[in-house]
């Protein structure tokens, strides 16, 4: 057994998550622990809810984090809404559509999965046509699919859901804080995001928001743990509809985040500090400016890759702004390239999953990782590694291509963001 002090290496993380964390967030995480019912802590909880409303562009009262990674938020929402026999429609254009399907099925839903080719997204009319055919209780869909680097238009689908009195649940784990996500304007009933991508906070919380249409179902299934209130109040006669999970029971979690502060779990104190600070940084930068920053670094990265001689995967018309997918050159061991890039340059990029494993690399320009320094270093390191693997590239062209973009659109000086 080793008793050595923990000393992780300094890395340039250019994956689609996790990403580098702003030093201000790390400092916030090192501040003193206080009790979960201390008035200072409950004030932080309330202010975090308010900041989430601004970032998620919603007036929903219920906007708070689930303790756990991003899929904990997905599971909490679906587990609290889906009952045995419910008809669920999942339009999938990558790996994480399959995740929505699996969770909904585990909750007892009768899931209709429709798919399109990886690298594309759905024409909204295709989804709407299927909705009219099957009349689902709920449509669950990914906004930004990091496995394929594509982004699905949502507004038309959300409007159709509202017209048909169908719930619209959206996985926006990859997109919040990096591109437009308009919860209310797009008629999204429940939205889930994650901290480890464009919000640029360590993995460990899944902020969610939902409206009164969702709350109505949650309250119809509400139960309270014995021992918290009187037997009379906790026995509500709804055992047949009770939410199957205790930990992911939104009827109980929202009581914890309400003025009642009915105990459900012990809040992850330092993670809430991190989210509180991460949201402050987003609002300080401004959503519009932050989105422009993500677009600029994406543009510089793409220009550099194309000048180098690389080709990109997927339909450009639906590209996810903060994830760029590169076709691995024929005959090249993609994992060997990634390993050398990490070992020699301390830069990490990602491979992909399933159908695309071994066929593409994925580069993320998210949150604090979306910086000029990171983009230029990644292009330089990738060029050097590809040369060592015998790939013919246009020497020096990648950096010049990216620098041309930065010369036309100078990076705004925003404190630590460069």
């Amino acid at each position: 057994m080793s008793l050595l002090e923990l000393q992780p290496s300094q890395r340039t993380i250019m994956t689609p998550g996790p990403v580098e964390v702003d030093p201000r967030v790390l400092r916030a995480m090192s501040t003193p622990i206080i009790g979960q019912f201390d008035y200072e802590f409950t004030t932080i909880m309330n202010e975090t809810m308010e900041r989430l409303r601004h970032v998620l562009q919603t007036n929903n009262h219920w906007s708070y984090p689930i303790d756990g990674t991003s899929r904990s938020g997905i599971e909490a929402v679906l587990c609290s809404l889906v009952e045995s026999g419910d008809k669920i429609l999942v339009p999938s254009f990558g790996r994480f559509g399959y995740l929505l399907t699996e969770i909904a099925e585990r909750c007892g839903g009768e899931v209709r999965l429709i798919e399109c080719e990886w690298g594309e997204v759905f024409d909204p009319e295709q989804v709407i046509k299927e909705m009219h055919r099957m009349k689902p209780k709920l449509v669950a869909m990914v906004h930004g699919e990091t496995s394929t680097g594509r982004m699905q238009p949502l507004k038309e689908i959300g409007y159709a859901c509202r017209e048909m009195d169908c719930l619209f649940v959206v996985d926006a784990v990859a997109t919040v804080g990096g591109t437009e996500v308009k919860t209310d304007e797009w008629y999204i009933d429940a939205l889930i995001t994650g901290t480890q991508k464009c919000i640029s906070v360590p993995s460990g919380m899944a902020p969610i928001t939902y409206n009164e249409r969702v709350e109505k179902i949650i309250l119809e299934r509400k139960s309270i743990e014995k021992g918290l209130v009187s037997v009379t109040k906790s026995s509500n006669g709804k055992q047949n509809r009770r939410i199957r999970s205790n930990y992911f029971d939104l009827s109980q979690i929202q009581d914890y985040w309400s003025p009642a502060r009915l105990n459900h779990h012990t809040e992850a104190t330092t993670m809430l500090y991190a989210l509180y600070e991460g949201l402050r940084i987003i609002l300080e930068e401004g959503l519009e400016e932050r989105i422009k920053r993500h677009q600029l670094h994406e543009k510089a990265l793409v220009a550099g890759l194309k000048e180098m001689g690389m080709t990109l995967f997927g339909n450009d018309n639906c590209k996810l702004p903060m994830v760029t997918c590169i076709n691995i050159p024929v005959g090249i061991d993609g994992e060997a390239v990634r390993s050398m890039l990490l070992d020699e340059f301390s830069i990490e990029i990602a491979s992909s999953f399933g159908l695309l494993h071994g066929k593409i690399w994925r580069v993320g320009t998210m949150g604090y990782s979306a910086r000029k320094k990171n983009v230029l270093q990644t292009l330089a390191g990738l060029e050097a590694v590809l040369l060592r693997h015998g790939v013919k590239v246009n020497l020096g062209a990648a950096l010049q291509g990216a620098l041309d973009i930065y010369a036309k659109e100078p990076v705004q000086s925003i404190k630590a963001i460069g």
Side-chain angles (χ1 to χ4, degrees):
M1 179 179 69
S2 172
L3 296 178
L4 294 175
E5 183 180 355
L6 185 65
Q7 294 183 327
S9 299
Q10 288 285 342
R11 304 291 198 196
T12 298
I13 307 177
M14 299 295 283
T15 71
V19 301
E20 295 176 27
V21 175
D22 192 301
R24 290 173 285 179
V25 171
L26 296 176
R27 286 196 296 271
M29 295 180 76
S30 68
T31 53
I33 301 295
I34 54 179
Q36 64 175 332
F37 297 119
D38 186 311
Y39 69 88
E40 288 188 19
F41 192 73
T42 56
T43 299
I44 293 170
M45 292 173 72
N46 290 338
E47 289 181 359
T48 299
M49 292 176 77
E50 185 60 28
R51 291 176 183 184
L52 276 173
R53 292 183 195 109
H54 285 286
V55 171
L56 301 179
Q57 299 186 57
T58 183
N59 292 316
N60 293 340
H61 174 73
W62 297 116
S63 304
Y64 57 84
I66 302 297
D67 290 349
T69 60
S70 301
R71 77 172 59 195
S72 72
I74 298 170
E75 190 140 358
V77 169
L78 291 179
C79 185
S80 296
L81 291 177
V82 178
E83 301 177 66
S84 181
D86 283 345
K87 292 182 179 180
I88 312 297
L89 175 62
V90 178
S92 177
F93 54 105
R95 176 201 166 183
F96 293 101
Y98 294 144
L99 176 62
L100 295 175
T101 300
E102 177 171 331
I103 293 173
E105 287 176 341
R106 284 172 178 255
C107 295
E110 295 180 2
V111 179
R112 165 69 170 144
L113 174 68
I114 59 174
E115 302 182 63
C116 68
E117 181 182 350
W118 286 25
E120 301 286 343
V121 296
F122 288 92
D123 180 336
E125 283 302 318
Q126 182 183 352
V127 177
I128 294 167
K129 182 179 179 180
E130 185 61 24
M131 288 168 55
H132 282 288
R133 190 194 69 79
M134 70 171 289
K135 297 178 174 54
K137 170 184 176 178
L138 182 153
V139 175
M141 201 165 193
V142 175
H143 182 213
E145 178 58 77
T146 55
S147 69
T148 63
R150 309 275 74 85
M151 185 165 68
Q152 173 69 47
L154 296 176
K155 186 173 182 177
E156 290 177 61
I157 299 170
Y159 182 75
C161 284
R162 196 61 57 90
E163 277 196 320
M164 294 179 62
D165 195 25
C166 166
L167 293 175
F168 192 31
V169 175
V170 171
D171 167 353
V173 169
T175 50
V176 168
T179 191
E180 287 286 9
V181 180
K182 298 184 177 184
T183 303
D184 290 355
E185 187 177 320
W186 295 349
Y187 305 98
I188 297 170
D189 293 296
L191 180 138
I192 307 101
T193 189
T195 51
Q196 79 280 15
K197 297 185 186 282
C198 293
I199 294 177
S200 218
V201 165
S203 177
M205 275 191 164
I208 66 171
T209 186
Y210 52 88
N211 60 23
E212 66 283 351
R213 283 158 48 88
V214 169
E215 185 184 14
K216 179 177 182 292
I217 295 173
I218 291 169
L219 293 179
E220 287 171 355
R221 305 183 69 193
K222 182 180 177 66
S223 64
I224 301 174
E225 287 179 36
K226 291 181 179 179
L228 290 178
V229 294
S230 69
V231 174
T232 303
K233 287 184 178 180
S234 62
S235 179
N236 54 23
K238 301 176 184 176
Q239 296 298 310
N240 62 322
R241 295 191 65 195
R242 184 168 65 169
I243 294 167
R244 297 294 178 89
S245 171
N246 174 284
Y247 188 76
F248 293 134
D249 183 341
L250 292 184
S251 74
Q252 296 192 58
I253 298 173
Q254 74 173 31
D255 276 345
Y256 181 68
W257 281 85
S258 77
R261 302 294 176 201
L262 194 62
N263 184 252
H264 175 262
H265 61 280
T266 301
E267 189 51 58
T269 311
T270 55
M271 276 304 305
L272 188 63
Y273 292 169
L275 178 59
Y276 178 89
E277 180 66 8
L279 295 171
R280 187 189 71 79
I281 291 168
I282 291 173
L283 294 172
E284 179 184 76
E285 183 177 357
L287 271 176
E288 185 177 345
E289 287 303 313
R290 191 176 182 90
I291 290 167
K292 287 179 181 177
R293 174 166 64 83
H294 280 80
Q295 291 171 339
L296 171 61
H297 295 303
E298 174 208 25
K299 191 174 180 180
L301 175 67
V302 167
L305 290 168
K306 288 183 176 179
E307 288 295 330
M308 189 191 300
M310 295 291 101
T311 62
L312 304 185
F313 169 80
N315 184 343
D316 285 345
N317 294 325
C318 52
K319 184 183 179 299
L320 184 58
M322 63 290 298
V323 178
T324 299
C325 299
I326 309 165
N327 289 311
I328 298 174
V330 176
I332 297 301
D333 182 343
E335 291 305 298
V337 170
R338 288 203 320 118
S339 295
M340 187 174 183
L341 193 59
L342 186 64
D343 293 341
E344 301 296 336
F345 293 92
S346 287
I347 297 170
E348 184 180 7
I349 63 174
S351 57
S352 195
F353 312 100
L355 300 172
L356 296 177
H357 183 69
K359 295 181 179 180
I360 65 170
W361 294 304
R362 297 175 302 139
V363 181
T365 43
M366 292 178 160
Y368 190 67
S369 289
R371 289 179 286 156
K372 180 178 178 180
K373 173 184 77 71
N374 284 15
V375 170
L376 295 178
Q377 288 180 353
T378 300
L379 289 169
L382 182 59
E383 178 183 291
V385 172
L386 289 173
L387 283 169
R388 299 293 289 184
H389 281 77
V391 179
K392 291 182 180 180
V393 299
N394 300 318
L395 290 174
L399 287 179
Q400 295 306 315
L403 287 169
D404 285 345
I405 297 297
Y406 288 130
K408 294 174 187 174
E409 303 178 46
V411 178
Q412 296 295 316
S413 177
I414 306 171
K415 291 193 175 181
I417 300 292

